[in-house]
Amino acid sequence: MSSEESSTGANFIKTLIQEDLESGKHKTIVTRFPPEPNGYLHIGHAKAICLNFGLASDFNGRCHLRFDDTNPIKEEDEYVNAIREDVSWLGFDWGEHLYYTSSYFEQLYRYALQLIEKGKAYVCSLTTEQMREYRGTLTEPGRLSPYRDRTVEENRDLFGRMRAGEFPDGTHVLRAKIDMAAGNLNLRDPILYRILHASHHRTGDEWSIYPMYDFAHGQSDSIEAVTHSICTLEFEDHRPLYDWFIRELGIFAPRQIEFARLNLSYTVMSKRKLLQLVQEKYVSGWDDPRMPTLVGMRRRGYPAAAIRKFCERIGVGKGASWIDLAVLEDCVREELNETAPRAMAVIHPLKVVLTNYPQEQVEELTAAVHPQKPEMGSRTIYFSRQFYIERDDFMEEPSKKFFRLGPGREVRLRNAYIIRCDEVVKNAAGEIIELQCSADLATLGANPTDGRKVKGTIHWVSAPHALSIEILQYDRLFSVENPDKGEDYRQNLNPGSLQKIENVYAEASLVNALPGVPYQFERTGYFCVDPVDSCGSKPVFNRIVTLRDSWAKEQGK
Ligand code: ATP
Ligand code: MG
């Protein structure tokens, strides 16, 4: 990330950190991004990543990447590796500060013993169902577990045997002894450890008990001396519990600050649902270019800088935030408009023959790679007697506001001549199959000498030089603003979210396009070679985004 780019802008968290630095509470700040390795990262995580790494960089502190890997059943190395790759791709560097909660299992176990010794934790042998009954509700206090008064010796012994693997899953748990009448349900003797005879992706079969997320998360922050534990709002109710642990254990106290999670229209963000879309094959994988995952966006061709820009633009606050997907798409357009080389490709081709141009002649014309950026250089495009234009750029009976090609009309070919349509050739079915045109050969890079005006400019591709490509035209995965509203979000999938267009003609220079590198196809949109689908002989280009926001218009709104 470039140094002038502040990743976070002004937000209330910055103000709080500033206060902690000015009061001398901390000299350096430490933040962290703490994913659970149970799925791929999505655009919501990007908000948390940009925030945590951004704050660390703004205040010259550091940001840890820590895997909160307390649930062996749902976690895998595949996810750990993908998450590391995604965070790096987004442009952030944790340096040597890569951590795993599972590395703290021994320390966490000792913390639990410490609570047992203080009489602040006990082994409870109620069934899950009984425990739910005893817990009470928001309006009724809970009841004390009959095991709550086990002696310290008994608890120490049972907990040791839980660790040793003597008991089957679900027979006992370790609970904190806090307050079964607390208004905050998180404080009603929460579970600290459960028995789970499961292999962990990092610790193997070493453990038969695993700490609950709530018991591990705050203490892991404390162990790493994280000064500011920034998390999403749903953890506000957990803060009193985290504070209780820290106080009872007498260890370093991070300051927890909550912010509102990102919700994006036309998108689902729950990992469970994303996994379901993959498993039930609604998409081709976690990296399907329609997925809101970072792997998906990367494959689609979204630049990391556009995602950072988006996270900065949406800001950080406390109120529930719904952001329109168009904001993200605009960030992608803005970034690509600056950086993407230009090229021409004809998506729905119509053949044109220039009757006044010599049969075998080929001209090598020069065009700018980027019209506003001469430093990006130029490219060669071939011109010949036969070329393709978009079907849409011709109208047999032009409407009033149509300034492109029509019978007897003139149009400018981008980077080349002005042509006039002399004849329309049709097949037996009456369909237009070819246009016969003539060029004003004095108009290459010049206006007509007689002063006549030609309004429209269209793109084209020389037929004998055309590179045949295929386009995967991606659109929004869901067709309604809030896919979660209603019975089943899967009913809201957009049936037109992927359209394959097989016979597209692109200018010859695109033969060198590298996978994942975005181009602007002039007047059409942004595209890049798909890194996965382009194994065959014909290059496959993903549509990254259209040139303008056309969603509302296409939906007839
Ligand atoms: P779950 O915990 O249900 O599996 P999660 O989305 O919370 O899902 P984590 O791996 O725990 O997944 O997320 C890591 C971090 O990213 C957390 O600190 C979380 O608060 C943050 N995060 C997750 N989703 C969003 C979101 N939509 N907006 C902002 N931050 C998010
Ligand atoms: Mg979480």
Side-chain angles (χ1 to χ4, degrees), residues 297-347:
M297 292 184 176
R298 174 154 87 239
R299 178 169 163 199
R300 171 101 167 237
Y302 282 19
I307 295 176
R308 293 197 301 266
K309 182 182 279 187
F310 169 73
C311 292
E312 186 180 348
R313 190 162 294 174
I314 59 177
V316 179
K318 281 255 183 201
S321 67
W322 269 93
I323 304 290
D324 194 331
L325 184 56
V327 177
L328 175 61
E329 291 167 343
D330 269 341
C331 289
V332 173
R333 274 184 205 107
E334 279 176 34
E335 178 65 24
L336 291 178
N337 184 39
E338 289 291 310
T339 55
R342 272 45 174 179
M344 293 196 286
V346 174
I347 315 263

Side-chain angles (χ1 to χ4, degrees), residues 253-269:
R255 176 175 188 179
Q256 177 169 312
I257 306 169
E258 301 89 9
F259 71 98
R261 62 170 51 228
L262 165 69
N263 297 303
L264 201 57
S265 64
Y266 300 96
T267 308
V268 297
M269 216 103 83

